[in-house]
Amino acid sequence: MSDNVPVIDEGLTGARHARHILVLPDRDAAEEVAEALPERFGITQEPQLVRDALAGEDDAEDAQWLVVIEDPVGGLDPMALDALADEYDGWLEAE
């Protein structure tokens, strides 16, 4: 499992940019999580939904969905994001 630590890039400016990846079991769950993010976390940027086929599988049933959230100021709580994903049988992946 992951250690729920977001990737943080302080770059040249010292800004704490993070990217959070929530792994969900299907597209419906991913879409519901993406819809819940603005209300629960106040994010304004639309998250990216990505289909992640399992290794060696071509069947659409054997795919996970990723919700990628850019966190430019590093202010989102990884534990709260993990709890949200858990509500949909998913988890927060450490990048």
Side-chain angles (χ1 to χ4, degrees), residues 5-86:
V5 177
V7 173
I8 298 175
D9 177 13
E10 294 189 15
L12 298 174
T13 64
R16 296 179 49 88
H17 180 272
R19 177 178 294 129
H20 306 278
I21 300 173
L22 304 179
V23 181
L24 287 304
D26 56 48
R27 183 181 186 139
D28 289 339
E31 289 175 345
E32 288 180 34
V33 166
E35 289 175 10
L37 287 167
E39 182 178 322
R40 289 183 65 173
F41 294 94
I43 66 167
T44 56
Q45 187 176 36
E46 188 170 335
Q48 180 182 9
L49 298 177
V50 179
R51 181 180 179 271
D52 183 34
L54 299 176
E57 298 294 335
D58 294 328
D59 190 352
E61 297 295 320
D62 294 323
Q64 297 173 326
W65 282 79
L66 309 178
V67 178
V68 181
I69 306 159
E70 299 295 333
D71 184 7
V73 295
L76 295 175
D77 178 3
M79 294 187 74
L81 290 170
D82 189 46
L84 173 62
D86 187 57

